[in-house]
Amino acid sequence: MAVQHFSRPKESDPDSEEALWDIREVHRFDGRGRHTKEDAVDITDPDYVPHGSAFSLKWSPWSNSMGRRTAILAYLAKNHVGFRRVTILGNWERGESPHIEVDNVDTAAICMFLSTDAYVEWQDQIVYDGDTPTARGVVATPFDVKPFQVSLVDAEQPADSHYTWECSTTYPKEGEMVSSNPITGLMVHDQSDVKPGPVPHYSIVRLSATSRNQDWFQTNLSTEEAAVPKWAARIRRQTTRLVPRVAALEGIDSDSEDSEDDLMEEDTSQLQVPEARYRIWGLAHSPGGGTTAVLVSRYNTLHPERRALCKLMFSRRDEERDEAAGSVMSVKQLTTEGQVWEWMYGNGPEVLGTTSTSKIAPELHNTPLREQFKDITAQQRCVFCDAALRLEEDEAKCDNGHMFARCASTGLAIMAPDISRICAVCELRCLKVTELTRIAVQNFGPGTRIESSGETCGGCGGKFVA
């Protein structure tokens, strides 16, 4: 499916814009995998094993080369992980259908035992094996972790259809079921120094965290980079801490704050039981990796609670590692929204044009678009009293006190309703492309080209909220 949101002039009123969603099918392929000789849904089959997942599709990062953008679409079928290469040819013009090439067969494929709710995650970085761009990631079966690496250029010889017993994937291999606690959250870490190899750095969480299992949080980060997140330390402390059985039987609210309980002295004269158990429902990290979060629910160990409230628990990377004071830089380029999140919650650096004193980034003061409308800006006059406008950083005023917002992209005063959009990040306004085109044609003549997509703020690069 090709999905895009764009603005265009209204047919009935070319001076106004309308926003449209364009959703269309561009290609389809058979995603049943290699194991098509058997009936995958026949529950009367003696070798039938439940399978299927709501997380069966995942895109790799895109590689740009010679006017082509290439990515791999990973899909899960019955005991099969397929990788189909998709290429966008040329530029995808806004409002137009993309030129798509989809390989007729899988670029690569892996036969492995997959249970219910298996899923796949990619590392959001291209890794070069010599001159060959590759993408790598991890499959959660979901009881075990299987890393993989796929070339974005080369393709493997496709295998013929076969039964699962032919590739020994009907059941998990002996020794593969390292845990019966399913993986419910997996994040692949970005690396500043990306080294070739099939195994990316990742962390996982499993569904159940109790006093009797300690495998609910695992990571393959090196000793220098690994640190226990604050939420993991808190869960571990509460699942291993013992309290008197009488206190546990009193039915302490499973979602109550426990800061005071942590400071209580343990009474070892009474029979003791673990304080709490947790269910971990998901794991995520922020765009730059500065913060992590888990969705959990806490339960009493002596009461069969089934209505515990869920909560989000956060941790900050620099606090986990006890790093020296100072901002934490992201290892990859982020959108303005991503940079603001890292600045606000992940101790990231200030975002020019948003969190610093000036709302407009210094490098955006002399853009080609501002230069194009520079002379028009100086000649604008108040629409109410025809007085000259005095230009300030983000406002324009006349001597009679009439005040107007200035377009963050061009510096023009905005002197009419419904001709501008508001940035969701810096809250500045930008004139719509149709209005800029009208002004350009009026002052420079027909055919004047406006170098603006109209989709991002000219002050900070953020997305528009309206």
Side-chain angles (χ1 to χ4, degrees):
M1 302 294 289
V3 181
Q4 57 179 320
H5 181 261
F6 62 96
S7 300
R8 70 179 184 186
K10 293 181 179 179
E11 294 182 1
S12 58
D13 184 9
D15 292 335
S16 300
E17 286 186 356
E18 60 180 353
L20 299 174
W21 281 99
D22 183 71
I23 305 174
R24 65 184 65 192
E25 179 182 309
V26 293
H27 193 87
R28 64 172 58 193
F29 63 88
D30 187 348
R32 292 179 297 168
R34 296 173 176 172
H35 305 134
T36 55
K37 283 192 173 183
E38 56 198 56
D39 188 350
V41 296
D42 183 10
I43 61 175
T44 62
D45 187 336
D47 288 329
Y48 172 80
V49 177
H51 66 281
S53 172
F55 318 102
S56 298
L57 297 173
K58 196 72 174 183
W59 285 99
S60 76
W62 289 85
S63 173
N64 297 330
S65 177
M66 301 177 64
R68 300 162 63 95
R69 284 176 285 178
T70 304
I72 302 292
L73 178 61
Y75 68 94
L76 304 183
K78 179 177 173 60
N79 295 350
H80 171 90
V81 185
F83 303 95
R84 190 64 62 100
R85 183 166 52 205
V86 179
T87 303
I88 300 178
L89 304 176
N91 294 325
W92 184 356
E93 299 294 340
R94 190 168 299 276
E96 302 294 333
S97 298
H99 299 287
I100 300 289
E101 277 188 1
V102 181
D103 289 0
N104 294 325
V105 296
D106 288 345
T107 302
I110 305 173
C111 291
M112 66 171 69
F113 173 77
L114 297 175
S115 186
T116 307
D117 290 337
Y119 60 97
V120 58
E121 284 287 348
W122 294 90
Q123 182 180 14
D124 193 20
Q125 291 174 297
I126 299 295
V127 181
Y128 283 88
D129 185 4
D131 295 330
T132 303
T134 61
R136 58 189 184 182
V138 177
V139 176
T141 64
F143 297 100
D144 197 8
V145 177
K146 301 289 186 180
F148 63 85
Q149 179 172 282
V150 181
S151 170
L152 277 80
V153 178
D154 303 325
E156 298 179 1
Q157 186 68 25
D160 296 330
S161 299
H162 55 270
Y163 294 96
T164 54
W165 56 263
E166 295 182 72
C167 57
S168 302
T169 60
T170 305
Y171 304 104
K173 296 178 181 178
E174 186 176 355
E176 279 192 350
M177 293 289 288
V178 295
S179 174
S180 59
N181 197 6
I183 298 169
T184 54
L186 186 156
M187 62 181 181
V188 181
H189 300 280
D190 297 321
Q191 299 173 242
S192 56
D193 182 19
V194 182
K195 298 179 180 179
V199 184
H201 288 168
Y202 61 85
S203 296
I204 65 170
V205 291
R206 297 181 183 271
L207 176 63
S208 180
T210 69
S211 61
R212 298 190 177 186
N213 70 333
Q214 296 299 315
D215 66 345
W216 51 266
F217 173 71
Q218 296 173 317
T219 182
N220 70 341
L221 287 169
S222 62
T223 306
E224 295 78 14
E225 297 178 313
V228 178
K230 285 193 170 183
W231 48 261
R234 182 178 179 184
I235 293 174
R236 181 161 294 159
R237 182 173 64 250
Q238 293 178 6
T239 54
T240 56
R241 179 174 179 264
L242 300 179
V243 298
R245 188 171 184 271
V246 175
L249 285 171
E250 290 177 356
I252 301 174
D253 181 10
S254 64
D255 197 54
S256 62
E257 293 297 331
D258 56 342
S259 56
E260 295 182 0
D261 295 337
D262 290 342
L263 300 176
M264 294 172 55
E265 294 184 2
E266 295 185 2
D267 184 1
T268 57
S269 63
Q270 302 182 42
L271 179 62
Q272 295 183 322
V273 295
E275 178 185 5
R277 58 187 175 87
Y278 276 84
R279 287 292 179 98
I280 305 175
W281 305 106
L283 169 67
H285 62 88
S286 60
T291 54
T292 58
V294 287
L295 178 65
V296 302
S297 53
R298 180 188 175 193
Y299 301 87
N300 188 285
T301 55
L302 297 183
H303 293 280
E305 298 174 277
R306 298 185 182 277
R307 299 179 63 184
L309 297 177
C310 291
K311 66 166 67 173
L312 281 170
M313 302 173 70
F314 293 88
S315 182
R316 215 170 77 181
R317 183 181 62 181
D318 60 325
E319 292 180 344
E320 297 167 5
R321 303 177 183 175
D322 294 326
E323 294 179 350
S327 58
V328 178
M329 300 296 294
S330 173
V331 300
K332 64 180 182 181
Q333 187 175 359
L334 302 176
T335 63
T336 301
E337 290 81 0
Q339 294 177 58
V340 171
W341 175 279
E342 295 300 334
W343 167 79
M344 186 175 295
Y345 300 110
N347 196 27
E350 285 201 348
V351 184
L352 295 177
T354 304
T355 63
S356 54
T357 304
S358 173
K359 281 195 172 183
I360 300 179
E363 62 268 21
L364 297 177
H365 276 285
N366 298 312
T367 60
L369 195 60
R370 276 184 168 262
E371 288 296 323
Q372 185 177 8
F373 289 92
K374 183 177 180 180
D375 295 336
I376 302 176
T377 303
Q379 298 172 8
Q380 280 187 300
R381 305 186 73 84
C382 178
V383 293
F384 298 114
C385 61
D386 201 36
L389 293 178
R390 184 173 65 256
L391 302 178
E392 299 179 0
E393 183 175 6
D394 54 2
E395 292 179 340
K397 300 178 182 178
C398 73
D399 293 336
N400 294 321
H402 300 131
M403 185 183 303
F404 308 94
R406 294 184 66 190
C407 171
S409 298
T410 61
L412 292 168
I414 302 172
M415 295 185 286
D418 197 30
I419 62 172
S420 63
R421 304 181 72 180
I422 305 173
C423 176
V425 179
C426 66
E427 298 182 345
L428 294 180
R429 288 182 173 271
C430 294
L431 287 168
K432 295 180 179 179
V433 175
T434 52
E435 180 64 14
L436 290 178
T437 303
R438 185 191 67 80
I439 296 174
V441 170
Q442 181 180 341
N443 289 271
F444 304 125
T448 304
R449 184 175 179 82
I450 302 298
E451 297 294 338
S452 174
S453 66
E455 297 300 324
T456 56
C457 172
C460 69
K463 307 296 189 302
F464 294 115
V465 68

